[in-house]
Amino acid sequence: MSKIVFITGATSGFGEATAIKFAMVGYKVIITGRRRERLDALKAKLPHADILPLCFDVQNKEEVFQAIASLPQAYKNIDILVNNAGLALGLERANDAHLEDWEQMIDTNIKGLLYVTKAVLPTMVKRKTGYIFNLSSTAASWPYEGGNVYGATKAFVKQFSLNLRTDLKGTHVRVTNIEPGFSQTEFSDVRFKGDTQKAHQLYENTIPLLAEDIAQTIFTLAELPAHVNVNRIEIMPTCQSYAGLVVEKKS
């Protein structure tokens, strides 16, 4: 039987590309997100694939557990979970940032990921098989101005992934923390709240990572032998590197 992949945030970016990658090679794919029309459009784009759209908001705990509990029997034994749903909002320094932006990032990037993991994990543990991919970021390890709470949420994801891997020893359930760097998806459009001109300026004269690059990475890791676990993988485009430490001098 085909393995089952469950992907959050499959309406765009990394999630959509990952869904397409797995569907194209015969996996059964459960695509989830808040935008029903985008889920339906993705399913229509792959008419010969086995795709099940599931519309819910990861921020809503009740919706998450109800949606996963309602899965048809043929889709209940999830083999691969891709916790992709997440966002960055704003690029202001902490003293100028909007509290509601911080709260939404925490509710989505942290609490949403926890809800989905908690809903899916018991079946994996019971079956003694499964693979969880958590989408973190290089921002989890490398700070930048305006990255305050976004970076902190992704650092939580990284540490949760490592602790989850520790808790799951003996269950044969694998966990990988995916840490992409500079990438061109809808990420910046969301961060700048629809200011596409500002978002596109970030990518001028660069060759960033694309959604397909991360999808290919996840697929490659998923296809490794069952005894292999990659704990973390940090990925940057060649146009990006480390900024180094800053020393502030008196004027």
Side-chain angles (χ1 to χ4, degrees), residues 60-61 64 107 168 174 189 247:
N60 188 311
K61 180 169 59 177
V64 170
D107 287 345
L168 292 173
R174 295 182 283 173
D189 296 79
V247 177

Side-chain angles (χ1 to χ4, degrees), residues 11 38 60 104 131 134 137 142 147 149 156-157 169 185 219-220 233-234:
T11 54
R38 289 207 177 188
N60 188 311
Q104 189 173 353
Y131 204 150
N134 291 329
S137 168
W142 311 108
V149 169
F156 176 95
V157 173
K169 62 185 177 184
T185 62
F219 178 77
T220 299
I233 183 165
E234 183 182 86

Side-chain angles (χ1 to χ4, degrees), residues 2-10 14-16 18-19 22-23 27-33 39 50-58 63-72 75-85 112-113 115-121 124 130-135 218 222:
S2 299
K3 287 187 175 181
I4 300 169
V5 185
F6 187 104
I7 304 171
T8 66
F14 298 153
E16 180 181 20
T18 302
F22 278 97
Y27 281 74
K28 298 169 73 171
V29 183
I30 303 167
I31 54 173
T32 79
L39 295 175
D50 191 342
I51 293 179
L52 176 69
L54 200 61
C55 188
F56 65 88
D57 185 347
V58 296
E63 282 189 15
V64 170
F65 283 87
Q66 288 172 6
I68 293 172
S70 72
L71 284 170
Y75 293 90
K76 283 188 178 294
N77 290 332
I78 295 164
D79 297 287
I80 299 169
L81 167 61
V82 181
N83 274 317
N84 167 73
L113 182 143
Y115 297 155
V116 176
T117 302
K118 188 66 173 173
V120 170
L121 190 57
M124 287 186 172
Y131 204 150
I132 298 173
F133 291 95
N134 291 329
L135 266 294
I218 293 171

Side-chain angles (χ1 to χ4, degrees), residues 117 120-122 124-126 128-132 134 160-176 229:
T117 302
V120 170
L121 190 57
M124 287 186 172
V125 171
K126 183 178 180 180
K128 287 190 173 293
T129 183
Y131 204 150
I132 298 173
N134 291 329
F160 176 68
S161 297
L162 297 176
N163 280 279
L164 185 61
R165 168 85 177 111
T166 303
D167 285 349
L168 292 173
K169 62 185 177 184
T171 67
H172 305 292
V173 177
R174 295 182 283 173
V175 182
T176 295
N229 193 99

